[in-house]
Amino acid sequence: MSKNGSALQGSPVYLDTLLTKKGETYELYLEADNPGLWMIHCHNLKHASMGMSMMLNYEGITTSYRVGTKSGNLPGL
């Protein structure tokens, strides 16, 4: 929708990966039509291991797996 507060111009932009630079902000539109637990993360594993990740959860959807560092599932650095 916008980059650094300025509306994007031209044709719609469809991305599943967005490269951002320090200090940049993006406003996006997300059509959430695939229920599940989705990890959103930095593809730089060192950054991901330092916490640049989040979970997008649908209300009422659960998992038997443990989410977070207590699981012991950490990216190799």
Side-chain angles (χ1 to χ4, degrees), residues 10-48:
S11 299
V13 177
Y14 295 97
L15 300 170
D16 61 3
T17 302
L18 180 63
L19 180 61
T20 61
K21 296 179 182 174
K22 184 177 180 177
E24 286 183 330
T25 61
Y26 286 84
E27 178 184 22
L28 56 95
Y29 170 82
L30 171 69
E31 185 172 338
D33 63 357
N34 193 3
L37 303 174
W38 295 95
M39 181 180 179
I40 300 172
H41 61 95
C42 180
H43 281 99
N44 179 316
L45 291 181
K46 183 168 182 147
H47 292 168

Side-chain angles (χ1 to χ4, degrees), residues 1-8 24-27:
M1 306 293 293
S2 70
K3 176 182 175 182
N4 298 326
S6 297
L8 297 177
E24 286 183 330
T25 61
Y26 286 84
E27 178 184 22

